[in-house]
């Protein structure tokens, strides 16, 4: 078995155009990453493509969890986090299947945690301006000002709180009570980062360029953003009232 300290979790729903290409792009990197696909019952055969790759080429590096339907982005990642913790990975990544996150940036997030000692590395679209390509202007503004809104309401200084391109060290996910994470959509991304910050973990934003998907259909919706918008108020209250877990010793 080709061992690795790193697992990239890729949630999927109807990503047949992208899934094989994104997996191969990750596996072509110099650092050995493993990949876990969490598929929510894609009717387009996404899971079948992954199973074929496991059976014929990558039995020791590629894994899949199949769920019965669209249960939410947050629950997909929680499922993947728990699996990664059970399998003793030290660096656990979130990444989209559609190449909006460049696999070539994975080593940079890894370096921020493995080499520089940060606990969380965020692939940030906004830490050095607005690095978004081919998004409609309305969506760029909505995403950018959503992150500004989070900073204002919570006092949390991360520029890209809704980013879905993240590396967590194992000790972060082992400390956060994953079963208590409340949000299922992009509010999940804000909640995870805010909780890590409140516990005291060190966070670094690594500038990346976000490119809108070339193939397949976006899963973004107004409901996802409304959850994030109203959920921020609850996070602010949590920051005042909730008792967070203690930072673990190194």
């Amino acid at each position: 078995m080709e061992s690795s300290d790193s697992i990239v979790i890729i949630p999927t729903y109807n990503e047949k155009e992208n899934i094989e290409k994104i997996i191969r792009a990750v596996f072509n990197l110099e650092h050995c990453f493993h990949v876990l696909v969490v598929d929510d019952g894609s009717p387009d055969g996404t899971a079948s493509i992954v199973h074929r790759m496991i059976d014929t080429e990558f039995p020791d590096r590629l894994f899949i969890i199949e769920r019965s339907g669209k249960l939410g982005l947050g629950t997909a990642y929680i499922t993947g986090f728990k699996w990664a913790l059970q399998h003793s990975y030290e660096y656990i990544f979130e990444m989209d299947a559609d190449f909006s996150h460049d696999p070539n940036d994975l080593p940079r997030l890894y370096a921020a945690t493995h080499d520089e000692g940060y606990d969380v590395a965020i692939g940030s679209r906004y830490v050095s301006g607005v690095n978004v390509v081919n998004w409609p202007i309305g969506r760029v503004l909505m995403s950018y000002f959503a992150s500004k809104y989070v900073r204002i309401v919570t006092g949390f200084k991360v520029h890209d709180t809704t980013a879905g391109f993240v590396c967590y060290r194992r000790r972060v996910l082992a400390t956060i009570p994953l079963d208590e994470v409340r949000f299922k959509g992009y509010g999940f991304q804000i909640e995870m980062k805010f909780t890590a910050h409140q516990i005291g973990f060190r966070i670094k934003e690594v500038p990346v360029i976000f490119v809108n998907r070339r193939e397949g259909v976006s899963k973004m919706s107004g409901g996802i953003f409304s959850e994030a918008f109203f959920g921020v108020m609850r996070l602010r209250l949590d920051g005042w009232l909730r008792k967070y877990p203690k930072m673990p010793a190194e």
Side-chain angles (χ1 to χ4, degrees):
M1 179 174 181
E2 192 168 3
S3 64
S4 176
D5 61 355
S6 310
I7 185 86
V8 180
I9 301 171
I10 304 177
T12 56
Y13 183 78
N14 286 350
E15 292 289 355
K16 68 177 183 180
E17 296 92 349
N18 295 304
I19 192 60
E20 180 168 354
K21 287 179 263 188
I22 196 77
I23 291 169
R24 292 191 185 281
V26 173
F27 287 165
N28 283 336
L29 296 170
E30 183 176 352
H31 181 79
C32 177
F33 292 94
H34 288 181
V35 171
L36 170 65
V37 174
V38 182
D39 185 72
D40 271 7
S42 298
D44 71 345
T46 297
S48 297
I49 295 170
V50 177
H51 279 293
R52 173 179 54 77
M53 297 179 73
I54 293 171
D55 293 341
T56 61
E57 296 182 77
F58 307 111
D60 298 328
R61 295 184 66 183
L62 178 59
F63 310 94
I64 186 170
I65 296 172
E66 294 181 75
R67 307 199 303 171
S68 58
K70 293 184 72 175
L71 303 176
L73 179 74
T75 65
Y77 275 127
I78 295 295
T79 298
F81 292 161
K82 290 180 177 180
W83 187 96
L85 291 173
Q86 289 168 0
H87 290 80
S88 301
Y89 290 96
E90 182 61 36
Y91 302 94
I92 300 165
F93 294 76
E94 301 179 1
M95 190 174 75
D96 290 348
D98 60 7
F99 284 93
S100 54
H101 304 142
D102 186 347
N104 290 308
D105 287 325
L106 285 169
R108 298 172 61 224
L109 300 185
Y110 178 79
T113 49
H114 179 271
D115 300 336
E116 299 177 43
Y118 287 91
D119 298 297
V120 182
I122 300 169
S124 177
R125 297 163 290 186
Y126 307 129
V127 71
S128 59
V130 179
N131 295 316
V132 178
V133 177
N134 293 336
W135 248 12
I137 187 62
R139 193 161 159 191
V140 173
L141 292 173
M142 184 182 295
S143 174
Y144 178 76
F145 284 109
S147 286
K148 286 283 191 185
Y149 166 73
V150 174
R151 285 166 59 91
I152 292 168
V153 172
T154 65
F156 182 33
K157 300 306 181 185
V158 166
H159 292 82
D160 195 354
T161 51
T162 61
F165 195 19
V166 185
C167 175
Y168 293 98
R169 286 183 62 191
R170 174 186 182 83
R171 72 194 203 115
V172 178
L173 299 180
T175 303
I176 292 175
L178 296 176
D179 289 331
E180 297 177 16
V181 175
R182 291 171 299 196
F183 301 128
K184 293 185 177 0
Y186 279 78
F188 163 83
Q189 301 291 4
I190 302 170
E191 183 176 2
M192 287 293 297
K193 298 176 186 69
F194 183 76
T195 302
H197 166 74
Q198 289 295 107
I199 292 171
F201 290 113
R202 297 178 66 220
I203 299 173
K204 178 175 183 177
E205 290 189 85
V206 177
V208 300
I209 296 174
F210 181 95
V211 180
N212 194 29
R213 67 163 62 236
R214 295 187 295 269
E215 297 182 90
V217 178
S218 172
K219 315 305 186 297
M220 193 72 69
S221 70
I224 285 172
F225 275 105
S226 66
E227 179 202 61
F229 184 87
F230 292 109
V232 169
M233 297 294 186
R234 293 179 64 183
L235 291 180
R236 176 66 279 181
L237 290 174
D238 282 351
W240 288 328
L241 304 174
R242 181 179 175 185
K243 185 176 181 180
Y244 288 90
K246 291 183 178 180
M247 171 87 90
E250 281 281 4

